[in-house]
Amino acid sequence: MAEETIFSKIIRKEIPAKIVYQDELVTAFHDISPQAPTHILIIPNKLIPTVNDVTEQDEQALGHLFVVAAKIAKEKGIAEDGYRLIVNCNRHGGQEVFHIHMHLVGGQPLGPMLAK
């Protein structure tokens, strides 16, 4: 069984977060350390530690992350100019919280994907 994370407490509203969307599959909230004018985390409500832990049973929830990302991007006014969706996996991939999550980042030109 995966260990509970701070995101689990956000989903249950046990700790404060600026939630912008929540349904039975996913929760989306503002990142506490934004890297762009719009920086929202979208997470499945089911605790899945990393991309390596995804199973076929997770397809609906993880596909729903993209549907919710597009909806939020439109609501925030960044859909037309563009935005970036980022999912990190494990330490070398930059994952800090081991509850899979998608970063929705936009609101300004984002530059190159990776630094050399």
Side-chain angles (χ1 to χ4, degrees), residues 35-49:
Q35 303 299 304
T38 299
H39 188 168
I40 294 170
L41 300 180
I42 309 167
I43 62 174
N45 293 339
K46 174 186 174 187
L47 175 53
I48 306 166

Side-chain angles (χ1 to χ4, degrees), residues 59-75:
E59 286 185 53
Q60 182 179 7
L62 297 183
H64 193 52
L65 292 180
F66 285 90
V67 172
V68 171
K71 175 183 169 58
I72 293 170
K74 185 175 182 180
E75 289 172 357

